[in-house]
Amino acid sequence: QVQLVESGGGLVQAGGSLRLSCAASGTIFGGNVMGWYRQAPGKQRELVATITSGGTTNYADFVKGRFTISRDNAKNTVYLQMNSLKLEDTAVYYCNFRLGYRERWGQGTLVTVSS
């Protein structure tokens, strides 16, 4: 069973930067996709970015040019570098793992952007 543990959330001023990490444990197979999703207060969970085990990335339009997703397969860790943060980026950020029909979620880490 794959388990995901997020870290790196916290309080940051608008315009600032933050880097989230997600460490995966368990049996990790190739051909998987990992990603970051977020859920703001009163909103539905939405996709932020994904990255395949081969390094192919996909981003939501609202974070393109500001956020960068990356992964270190040797460490089984995926990262989300967040720059130029806005107030509306405030949310709980969740790490996601998918391999075919299998899917796992991390517990979430809170990112709060202040003015």
Side-chain angles (χ1 to χ4, degrees):
Q1 190 88 329
V2 174
Q3 293 180 297
L4 308 173
V5 179
E6 301 102 330
S7 62
L11 177 64
V12 63
Q13 286 187 288
S17 299
L18 207 60
R19 189 175 78 156
L20 307 183
S21 298
C22 174
S25 63
T27 303
I28 309 298
F29 294 93
N32 65 79
V33 180
M34 297 187 71
W36 291 94
Y37 293 70
R38 71 186 188 186
Q39 188 165 19
K43 306 280 285 186
Q44 295 291 113
R45 188 173 299 185
E46 62 185 353
L47 181 142
V48 176
T50 62
I51 184 167
T52 69
S53 53
T56 300
T57 59
N58 183 58
Y59 296 93
D61 288 340
F62 55 83
V63 302
K64 286 181 178 177
R66 298 191 299 124
F67 293 6
T68 302
I69 189 170
S70 62
R71 63 190 292 167
D72 184 339
N73 290 335
K75 296 181 178 180
N76 292 323
T77 301
V78 63
Y79 306 94
L80 184 68
Q81 178 66 48
M82 304 185 293
N83 299 323
S84 302
L85 283 162
K86 305 174 180 179
L87 294 178
E88 52 264 43
D89 292 320
T90 295
V92 177
Y93 285 71
Y94 296 91
C95 184
N96 172 265
F97 171 92
R98 177 170 56 81
L99 177 60
Y101 57 86
R102 297 173 58 202
E103 189 171 64
R104 299 289 184 271
W105 292 92
Q107 79 288 346
T109 185
L110 177 63
V111 172
T112 302
V113 183
S114 64
S115 60

